[in-house]
Amino acid sequence: MWIHPEEVLLAGALWVSERANPFFILQRRRGHGRGGGLSGLLVGTLDVVLDSSARVAPYRILLQTADSQLYWNIACGSSRKEITEHWDWLETNLLQTISIFDNDEDVTTFVKGKISGIIAEENRLNQAEEQEEDCGKFREAELKMRKLFGMPDEEKLVNYYSCSYWKGRVPRQGWLYLSVNHLCFYSFLLGKEVTLVVQWTEVTQLEKNATLVFPESVRVSTRHTEHFFSMFLNINDTFKLMEQLANIAMRQLLDNEAFAADRSLPKATKTLKNVSALKRDLDARAKNERYRTMFRLTQDERLDGHTDCTLWTPFAKMHVVGQLFISNNYICFNSREEDLCQLIIPLREVSIVEKADSSSVLPCPVSISTKNKMNFLFANLKDRDFLVQRISDFLQRTPDSSWGDTNPLSLIGHSASASAVSESTQKGQHFHPGLPTASQGLLALYHRDAPEDLGPKAMKEKMKEESWNIHFSEFGRGVCMYRTSRTRELVLNGIPEHLRGELWLLFSGAQNEMASHPGYYGDLVEQAMGLCSLATEEIERDLHRSMPEHRAFQNETGIAALRRVLTAYAHRNPGIGYCQAMNIVTSVLLLYCPEEEAFWLLVALCERMLPDYYNTRVVGALVDQGVFEELTRAFLPLLYEHMQELGVITTISLSWFLTLFLSVMPFDSAVLLVDCFFYEGIKVIFQVALNVLHDNMDALLSCSDEGEAMTILGRYLDNVVNKQTVAPPIPHLHALLTSGDDPPPEIDVFDLIKSSYEKFGTLRSDVIDQMRFKQRLKVIQSLEDTAKRSVVRAMMTESAFSIEELEELYCLFKSKHMTSCYWGSSSSAAERHDPSLPYLEQYRIDPAQFTQLFTALAPWICGGHTPTLSARLFRLLDQNQDGLVNFKEFITGLSGMYHGDMTEKLKLLYKLHLPPALCPEEAESALEATNFFTEDERGEEGKEGGVDGEDKKEERLKDYKYYLRMWAKVKELKTETIKDLPRMNQEQFIDLCKTLYNMFSEEPLEQQLYHSIATVASLLLRIGEVGKKFNNGGRKTDDPVQAPPPVPESEEEEGLGLGCSGESQVCRALAEAQLEPAAPQTSDEETKDDTSVSSYSVVSSGSLQCEDIADDTVLVGSGEQRQGSVLDVDWSITFEQVLASLLTEPPLVDYFERKRDLQSKMDACKAQRVVERQMSSTSDHELAQQSI
């Protein structure tokens, strides 16, 4: 490639000149191409250690002038072919021009200008954004990675680092390349080359640790091995990037969604050295994620920037030091000291932003006013003008809101009055403002008519309300409220019942989401209600199991509201749909919130606060279960060992986390934990869970089995009471069943919460996030292993492969599916992955990927004919005609080729040359493919193999017993079904012969096989001819070859006797069938273009029939060559005739009955990338030798 001219002082150091003229020198890096001895080894080592560009570009062209000691590097190349093209261009276009220059400086200036012009033109033509943003040094590293590890252009490098890889006890200094989908390492030290490629989807553990053997290292674990890397310049930066990439890979395994670069990322103000656009993208994602988590913002919120500042807090009469964050919809502040002050200002609430007067006491202040008359004063801003301009830009894009930031209940009332929906319209809608649950929670509905309670508990509740009212007057109310340590104290003391819904909505961030999506819930309900799906069926089943002890859900009002919220969410997020435990949580939300608010709280829970908890495999809950085990080991090590022996932790924690203790604790107590959860997040659930174990430690240590431990914990949680509740007690069904004769003492829930903060309050959210990442790798890989075992068990009964072979085949098949996630394909991987299907059918591949696997694994390799054969087998296996093949279908086809008997293998080969495999357009013949491997049990019902659409639908509706009976019937009729196969015409037969010819081209007994197939082909052609003449006997009385019915058998015997003269028979038979104008036309010229030319040296000079069969112009000839196409229609043979003829040739029988080695092919397939990389470097070396 041409490069911007660079000065070179020592042209001969470490380089060897190979060509030269008065102005240019072509050089090769010492030691490249042809060894180089010790100096070559030293140079190669230096190149790797110092990250020299010569490692990827070992050739270069220098510009030289007679009078100057300076040289200019103007081009480099990775191969001799590339650099030679540049050299030839220089000699052709520049050499004569610059030879007439008088001044050497003019020569240098002219050449540098010319090269710069070429580069500019190339950059103009190549408009790829990544290449424009990435610096030249980084693009060079990306090119180096692709060359070293055989990666395609679609694989994007994120960053690379110098480090040591520990191979045994010896560190190998080299370079670690982190791409989107792979971790790669390369080292070359004194002739010892180390290459490592690990897919991120294979990583099971990623740890940063420091031991005596491996000082401050990163350990990367896969299922089979561990890799240690150390001696990083900045190990924290490297490890964070590794975590991000591993997380992306786990998300691919979960959702099958490819990594998509952020195209809207603003361009860097200056080109950062060795930092790619992808690295900037990932850094921005990490910052966005921290920002959203800190302030509970929606997933689409993007941080624009942050700066240090101070905030005037009127309640404390002081300036608080912290950071100001600006994003597209919010201005947020967080104090440097934890819990001192936090503030969220939605831009939709902002009315005025202005620069206040600056003074020595208050430098560079900015005042922000909101629509509900709150003012916020920020000071000590470094770049105030720029900040105000950014806020103004965002304000201009913010849609104007018609209401201020007030109590959420007033939002509902306002929208209801504004919409003025008529009664007739309301009757036709599932959700409308006239519904009781549209404006208030279920508890408010049932307490509306209750007499006023003046007891001590009620007075305590009123005192709580008054405390919150004082807080609102001092700190503000709504989204813009100052959140301080005082706010946390009030939450821990319990939120008053009628404020609970408002504050849940506020602390969870759901209020922001609801305000930015007015009318969304109502529209969603109308779309979702009435639709039938698996999720709606499960919802209907669980509706009456949701808090049945509470009277709010003992009538249709509560049940209907719960149905609408769950159905609307399932419609919004079909990836989750509905999961058990969602009904319990949603029931509690509906008690305190109107429907729409409950819906948005559910959105916040499922998508932000409890990520992946409620998907089909409850991954998030399993992850937190692992985190809880790790926390138990850290805080309660003695108890952890005993609990692990009993296996209790995994049993109890899942129900605790999925329902936030609502299903295992009395309702009035558990709802206080929900209060704390919405304010503090998941850490409070971990704290309380640890405290429960701590309080029962002595009893648990004396347990001898799991059941006893479960009983102890169950009875403890049943007796956690809320003595301050004003609501009538709700019976807890579990408590009634486990109370026993001597119930344990009651535990006050407030004491439990307070104790959990005292003992385990040191837990930090960032530490929990780090532990979650570690556990996520374990959980997802464990689920993948479970899926693999399920698939292998299911396929063991349907194929003859061993367990080990099926496991390896599953891994290869799945890796092909996964590559489509990140290297593109004709259809997206997400479309092909349906988690609702059985594991056998979840992963599917397209024709191109199937061809790659077929070529690598199939025992029938036919040279250039292999892709055609693969495409036919794909069509045969693609039973539902969707252009995709699942693992079950793939194994069925492969098993037939490896473990079927000769009849089954020949039957497969026979069917590959008939519709639908041969003619994909003939859709009506598709059912033949469906019944190929299970045999056609419908011989009497449909001789042509076709079935109408209604029969297909009926078959799908049959139960599993029908399929068992069908399978038994298939086994009984196995010997009879070959008669039901359709007859093969002449063109299909010649195509079959061509396939067989190509299959034998690399066999040891090539000549004998060719001779046998020639004999069989000749025999079958004559059988078909005789059959045609016999069938048309009434029309061809003058034909001398006419014979009675027994003739085909006598002809077959005659053919067997004349097997030695098979060549002449095929030539004569082909001539009679008018497949070619004349036999002598088959010449050497026709054989030159054939893909199997090498095999002709083995065949005798008279084997013209082999050349005829292999020649494409004969087999797929034009209409001009087939003058007798009308007669060809009557020529046909049956599968029995093909089978009987092939059985007469021992070489063919031995070929099809021989056992094939699948293991070697699988090993070769796994090592394919390494082989390709070595081949590319070898071919480069050979090219270098030839050029010299």
Side-chain angles (χ1 to χ4, degrees):
M1 56 187 274
W2 299 108
I3 59 175
H4 288 287
E6 300 172 349
E7 284 188 6
V8 177
L9 292 175
L10 298 172
L14 309 181
W15 292 84
V16 179
S17 298
E18 295 199 338
R19 295 188 188 181
N21 58 41
F23 296 99
F24 301 106
I25 305 173
L26 189 155
Q27 293 186 323
R28 171 180 53 83
R29 188 70 166 177
R30 193 179 297 277
H32 176 78
R34 292 172 296 176
L38 183 60
S39 63
L41 293 178
L42 290 171
V43 172
T45 302
L46 280 173
D47 288 343
V48 170
V49 173
L50 301 177
D51 193 28
S52 168
S53 59
R55 189 69 198 163
V56 69
Y59 298 95
R60 71 179 183 182
I61 296 175
L62 300 181
L63 167 67
Q64 63 170 355
T65 53
D67 298 337
S68 175
Q69 297 298 315
L70 278 179
Y71 296 82
W72 294 89
N73 188 7
I74 59 172
C76 64
S78 59
S79 66
R80 182 175 295 276
K81 180 181 179 183
E82 181 185 359
I83 205 70
T84 303
E85 289 175 357
H86 286 34
W87 179 265
D88 293 342
W89 187 90
L90 288 171
E91 286 191 330
T92 306
N93 297 285
L94 288 189
L95 202 55
Q96 290 185 349
T97 306
I98 60 178
S99 61
I100 62 174
F101 281 54
D102 297 330
N103 190 342
D104 287 344
E105 288 186 8
D106 293 343
V107 171
T108 304
T109 305
F110 177 78
V111 173
K112 286 166 65 177
K114 194 73 175 174
I115 299 302
S116 297
I118 293 171
I119 294 171
E121 181 65 17
E122 286 178 350
N123 288 340
R124 188 183 66 79
L125 295 174
N126 188 1
Q127 293 296 325
E129 292 181 13
E130 294 85 2
Q131 291 191 3
E132 284 181 5
E133 291 187 18
D134 295 344
C135 67
K137 184 73 174 173
F138 189 85
R139 289 203 300 272
E140 187 180 281
E142 189 168 48
L143 187 66
K144 189 186 304 182
M145 178 202 73
R146 289 175 187 156
K147 183 182 177 186
L148 289 173
F149 306 105
M151 298 289 180
D153 291 343
E154 291 85 359
E155 185 69 355
K156 302 296 182 185
L157 179 65
V158 180
N159 213 349
Y160 62 107
Y161 304 92
S162 173
C163 70
S164 290
Y165 169 56
W166 292 78
K167 195 165 185 181
R169 293 185 175 272
V170 182
R172 300 297 180 93
Q173 186 65 28
W175 290 87
L176 181 71
Y177 297 88
L178 303 180
S179 70
V180 173
N181 306 294
H182 296 86
L183 175 150
C184 307
F185 178 83
Y186 181 79
S187 171
F188 180 86
L189 295 176
L190 301 178
K192 296 288 185 181
E193 186 179 47
V194 176
T195 305
L196 175 71
V197 178
V198 178
Q199 283 189 11
W200 288 117
T201 50
E202 295 299 317
V203 174
T204 57
Q205 199 170 358
L206 202 58
E207 281 187 313
K208 182 178 66 174
N209 49 24
T211 62
L212 192 63
V213 182
F214 302 112
E216 201 174 29
S217 63
V218 173
R219 182 176 71 176
V220 181
S221 305
T222 63
R223 287 178 177 82
H224 309 296
T225 184
E226 292 183 339
H227 307 285
F228 289 89
F229 302 92
S230 65
M231 299 175 72
F232 290 94
L233 192 62
N234 187 343
I235 191 168
N236 292 326
D237 181 50
T238 310
F239 187 71
K240 281 180 184 175
L241 181 57
M242 285 179 160
E243 282 187 327
Q244 272 189 287
L245 294 170
N247 249 331
I248 290 169
M250 295 306 104
R251 183 54 57 188
Q252 282 182 358
L253 287 174
L254 264 184
D255 302 334
N256 273 258
E257 290 182 0
F259 171 80
D262 187 356
R263 300 294 180 188
S264 62
L265 194 70
K267 290 193 176 182
T269 52
K270 60 180 181 178
T271 303
L272 302 173
K273 186 180 179 183
N274 294 350
V275 176
S276 67
L278 268 179
K279 177 69 166 63
R280 287 181 55 235
D281 181 2
L282 290 172
D283 288 345
R285 289 178 192 223
K287 287 180 181 177
N288 289 336
E289 190 61 37
R290 285 195 296 272
Y291 170 64
R292 289 192 294 257
T293 304
M294 186 187 299
F295 299 104
R296 304 272 171 81
L297 301 177
T298 55
Q299 295 294 333
D300 56 350
E301 200 62 28
R302 296 185 180 187
L303 179 65
D304 187 68
H306 59 88
T307 183
D308 292 333
C309 70
T310 59
L311 170 66
W312 171 253
T313 52
F315 53 88
K317 303 292 189 291
M318 62 182 287
H319 291 279
V320 176
V321 179
Q323 280 192 318
L324 183 70
F325 299 84
I326 308 291
S327 62
N328 43 337
N329 293 300
Y330 298 92
I331 301 170
C332 302
F333 175 85
N334 195 42
S335 60
R336 188 176 296 171
E337 186 181 338
E338 193 176 3
D339 282 339
L340 188 58
C341 181
Q342 192 183 73
L343 183 66
I344 301 170
I345 308 172
L347 291 181
R348 66 178 184 273
E349 299 297 331
V350 173
S351 57
I352 301 172
V353 178
E354 57 185 353
K355 291 181 277 189
D357 295 334
S358 185
S359 67
S360 58
V361 180
L362 203 64
C364 302
V366 170
S367 173
I368 297 177
S369 303
T370 64
K371 294 174 182 176
N372 60 348
K373 310 304 181 189
M374 288 185 74
N375 292 304
F376 304 97
L377 187 63
F378 299 94
N380 291 283
L381 293 160
K382 290 180 181 176
D383 197 345
R384 182 173 63 164
D385 295 339
F386 178 74
L387 179 73
V388 171
Q389 183 60 47
R390 289 301 292 165
I391 295 174
S392 300
D393 292 343
F394 284 128
L395 278 171
Q396 288 176 0
R397 302 175 206 162
T398 305
D400 188 31
S401 177
S402 57
W403 56 75
D405 177 25
T406 55
N407 187 318
L409 294 179
S410 67
L411 297 181
I412 299 293
H414 179 93
S415 61
S417 60
S419 57
V421 184
S422 65
E423 287 185 16
S424 59
T425 308
Q426 290 180 8
K427 286 179 182 176
Q429 293 181 335
H430 294 92
F431 175 79
H432 53 83
L435 287 171
T437 53
S439 57
Q440 52 189 328
L442 290 170
L443 272 184
L445 283 175
Y446 287 100
H447 290 172
R448 188 169 46 194
D449 302 326
E452 187 178 359
D453 187 357
L454 299 175
K457 289 185 179 180
M459 300 313 295
K460 181 92 173 176
E461 184 78 0
K462 286 189 178 295
M463 289 173 64
K464 282 186 187 177
E465 290 177 19
E466 189 57 34
S467 297
W468 275 100
N469 287 330
I470 294 170
H471 184 276
F472 291 147
S473 63
E474 193 173 347
F475 297 90
R477 186 168 188 171
V479 179
C480 299
M481 177 176 71
Y482 292 97
R483 303 172 198 206
T484 66
S485 54
R486 174 66 182 150
T487 315
R488 174 193 274 183
E489 288 174 19
L490 289 175
V491 171
L492 296 185
N493 288 329
I495 298 175
E497 272 192 8
H498 83 270
L499 289 176
R500 189 162 270 146
E502 174 188 344
L503 292 174
W504 283 358
L505 207 67
L506 174 66
F507 296 143
S508 66
Q511 183 171 338
N512 289 321
E513 211 161 356
M514 187 176 79
S516 56
H517 295 84
Y520 175 82
Y521 172 69
D523 294 340
L524 204 60
V525 170
E526 298 309 317
Q527 294 169 22
M529 295 303 287
L531 296 178
C532 187
S533 66
L534 182 63
T536 56
E537 290 175 13
E538 291 177 348
I539 289 169
E540 288 298 326
R541 189 180 64 232
D542 285 352
L543 282 176
H544 295 278
R545 303 178 192 171
S546 309
M547 296 186 69
E549 66 275 14
H550 199 291
R551 61 179 186 144
F553 296 99
Q554 292 170 358
N555 59 71
E556 187 55 29
T557 303
I559 294 293
L562 182 60
R563 178 187 292 114
R564 284 191 292 271
V565 173
L566 290 174
T567 306
Y569 186 77
H571 188 68
R572 166 191 165 89
N573 191 343
I576 291 177
Y578 170 76
C579 172
Q580 282 189 336
M582 284 173 70
N583 60 322
I584 296 173
V585 174
T586 309
S587 301
V588 175
L589 299 179
L590 281 167
L591 287 175
Y592 297 100
C593 308
E595 265 185 60
E596 187 172 12
E597 293 179 18
F599 170 79
W600 287 112
L601 279 168
L602 184 62
V603 169
L605 272 174
C606 295
E607 297 175 13
R608 288 187 281 114
M609 301 189 75
L610 297 175
D612 298 322
Y613 257 60
Y614 300 107
N615 59 21
T616 50
R617 297 191 277 183
V618 292
V619 171
L622 293 172
V623 167
D624 280 351
Q625 180 178 286
V627 172
F628 181 56
E629 287 188 36
E630 206 170 329
L631 290 171
T632 307
R633 183 168 54 188
F635 287 101
L636 308 168
L638 192 63
L639 181 61
Y640 171 78
E641 296 296 334
H642 187 64
M643 296 282 275
Q644 282 296 95
E645 292 175 12
L646 299 179
V648 175
I649 295 180
T650 55
T651 309
I652 58 173
S653 53
L654 200 59
S655 60
W656 292 5
F657 294 129
L658 271 174
T659 63
L660 304 175
F661 284 97
L662 287 165
S663 64
V664 294
M665 198 181 279
F667 171 76
D668 294 321
S669 305
V671 78
L672 288 171
L673 295 183
V674 178
D675 291 343
C676 300
F677 167 74
F678 277 121
Y679 188 79
E680 292 276 22
I682 194 66
K683 64 169 274 188
V684 73
I685 303 298
F686 284 122
Q687 287 175 191
V688 171
L690 287 169
N691 201 77
V692 169
L693 293 184
H694 182 271
D695 286 355
N696 293 278
M697 185 185 293
D698 295 336
L700 290 171
L701 286 173
S702 61
C703 289
S704 56
D705 59 47
E706 180 186 357
E708 188 180 352
M710 293 285 292
T711 303
I712 289 169
L713 291 172
R715 295 185 71 182
Y716 176 88
L717 290 170
D718 290 337
N719 286 275
V720 176
V721 296
N722 178 5
K723 297 178 180 178
Q724 298 180 12
T725 182
V726 293
I730 301 169
H732 190 229
L733 296 181
H734 189 257
L736 295 175
L737 295 173
T738 59
S739 59
D741 299 328
D742 184 22
E746 292 181 342
I747 301 97
D748 192 332
V749 66
F750 292 101
D751 293 339
L752 177 64
I753 294 172
K754 184 180 177 183
S755 174
S756 73
Y757 272 91
E758 290 172 353
K759 294 172 185 171
F760 308 105
T762 54
L763 266 182
R764 294 174 56 87
S765 297
D766 54 346
V767 175
I768 290 174
D769 288 339
Q770 183 66 35
M771 295 167 79
R772 274 177 163 177
F773 163 75
K774 182 179 174 183
Q775 293 299 326
R776 191 176 294 115
L777 290 179
K778 273 187 191 174
V779 167
I780 293 178
Q781 297 292 14
S782 173
L783 290 171
E784 291 297 310
D785 290 341
T786 303
K788 180 170 72 173
R789 287 193 294 271
S790 301
V791 168
V792 169
R793 278 199 303 270
M795 289 307 299
M796 280 297 294
T797 58
E798 300 191 25
S799 74
F801 291 117
S802 66
I803 294 177
E804 294 76 15
E805 287 174 337
L806 282 171
E807 285 183 347
E808 288 196 47
L809 286 170
Y810 178 80
C811 291
L812 289 172
F813 187 89
K814 184 182 162 190
S815 69
K816 278 294 172 196
H817 169 89
M818 291 305 298
T819 53
S820 65
C821 286
Y822 45 79
W823 287 348
S825 184
S826 56
S827 60
S828 73
E831 291 174 8
R832 300 188 220 169
H833 184 257
D834 185 356
S836 64
L837 292 172
Y839 286 125
L840 278 171
E841 302 171 21
Q842 282 191 12
Y843 295 113
R844 295 178 286 178
I845 57 175
D846 61 19
Q849 294 170 320
F850 181 84
T851 298
Q852 293 170 6
L853 283 177
F854 180 89
T855 306
L857 299 174
W860 299 341
I861 302 302
C862 306
H865 195 55
T866 302
T868 306
L869 204 63
S870 168
R872 291 177 183 174
L873 181 59
F874 183 89
R875 289 193 288 270
L876 201 60
L877 296 173
D878 184 14
Q879 300 181 6
N880 57 1
Q881 300 287 301
D882 63 350
L884 297 170
V885 163
N886 62 41
F887 182 69
K888 181 179 180 180
E889 294 164 338
F890 172 74
I891 287 298
T892 307
L894 203 62
S895 182
M897 287 186 279
Y898 272 99
H899 296 293
D901 57 21
M902 183 177 176
T903 304
E904 288 180 3
K905 290 177 181 177
L906 287 175
K907 187 169 175 247
L908 169 57
L909 206 55
Y910 184 85
K911 293 283 280 185
L912 287 177
H913 296 82
L914 295 173
L918 195 61
C919 306
E921 299 84 7
E922 295 182 17
E924 67 272 13
S925 301
L927 199 63
E928 294 177 16
T930 308
N931 301 308
F932 173 65
F933 292 104
T934 56
E935 307 295 348
D936 191 356
E937 73 281 356
R938 301 182 317 277
E940 296 81 18
E941 296 173 11
K943 293 292 183 182
E944 299 301 322
V947 168
D948 59 78
E950 293 179 5
D951 292 340
K952 283 186 177 181
K953 290 178 183 175
E954 288 176 7
E955 285 184 14
R956 291 195 193 104
L957 298 173
K958 302 284 186 181
D959 62 359
Y960 68 94
K961 293 180 181 178
Y962 168 78
Y963 288 107
L964 288 173
R965 289 196 300 271
M966 185 180 74
W967 181 75
K969 185 180 176 184
V970 165
K971 291 296 180 185
E972 292 172 7
L973 301 177
K974 188 172 182 179
T975 55
E976 302 174 10
T977 51
I978 59 173
K979 296 181 180 179
D980 298 321
L981 288 172
R983 299 175 71 89
M984 180 177 278
N985 66 34
Q986 198 172 65
E987 182 176 358
Q988 294 162 355
F989 170 68
I990 298 299
D991 203 22
L992 172 63
C993 292
K994 176 184 178 180
T995 301
L996 287 168
Y997 169 80
N998 283 312
M999 284 170 63
F1000 303 149
S1001 62
E1002 297 178 6
E1003 288 294 316
L1005 302 175
E1006 191 176 17
Q1007 189 172 4
Q1008 291 92 318
L1009 287 167
Y1010 284 152
H1011 189 274
S1012 297
I1013 197 59
T1015 305
V1016 170
S1018 169
L1019 180 59
L1020 287 169
L1021 281 168
R1022 295 182 64 192
I1023 290 173
E1025 270 306 303
V1026 172
K1028 177 183 71 174
K1029 293 169 184 175
F1030 172 71
N1031 291 335
N1032 296 335
R1035 299 191 302 270
K1036 300 181 181 178
T1037 53
D1038 57 336
D1039 195 329
V1041 194
Q1042 184 180 353
V1047 164
E1049 296 181 10
S1050 63
E1051 285 291 330
E1052 183 173 326
E1053 292 170 7
E1054 181 184 349
L1056 297 177
L1058 298 173
C1060 57
S1061 58
E1063 297 119 359
S1064 59
Q1065 291 176 19
V1066 173
C1067 291
R1068 186 166 59 250
L1070 290 175
E1072 288 176 5
Q1074 298 187 23
L1075 285 174
E1076 57 184 350
Q1081 285 191 3
T1082 307
S1083 63
D1084 292 337
E1085 291 179 2
E1086 292 177 25
T1087 67
K1088 289 179 182 176
D1089 295 330
D1090 191 85
T1091 55
S1092 306
V1093 167
S1094 59
S1095 63
Y1096 289 120
S1097 58
V1098 185
V1099 187
S1100 61
S1101 58
S1103 301
L1104 297 179
Q1105 75 288 347
C1106 295
E1107 296 172 6
D1108 286 331
I1109 292 169
D1111 189 78
D1112 289 338
T1113 59
V1114 173
L1115 295 173
V1116 194
S1118 64
E1120 295 175 4
Q1121 288 177 311
R1122 303 204 172 177
Q1123 300 164 6
S1125 57
V1126 177
L1127 296 176
D1128 292 347
V1129 175
D1130 298 325
W1131 189 100
S1132 65
I1133 53 172
T1134 64
F1135 176 70
E1136 294 102 311
Q1137 291 168 336
V1138 174
L1139 178 61
S1141 302
L1142 285 169
L1143 286 171
T1144 62
E1145 292 293 326
L1148 292 174
V1149 175
D1150 293 342
Y1151 176 84
F1152 283 105
E1153 289 188 342
R1154 188 171 60 209
K1155 292 290 182 186
R1156 306 285 177 162
D1157 181 17
L1158 176 63
Q1159 189 60 48
S1160 60
K1161 285 184 174 288
M1162 289 192 295
D1163 294 340
C1165 188
K1166 285 187 285 188
Q1168 188 174 6
R1169 180 170 297 139
V1170 179
V1171 172
E1172 286 174 357
R1173 182 178 62 80
Q1174 291 173 346
M1175 285 177 62
S1176 64
S1177 59
T1178 305
S1179 61
D1180 183 34
H1181 173 60
E1182 290 171 355
L1183 183 63
Q1185 299 245 355
Q1186 292 169 6
S1187 300
I1188 297 168

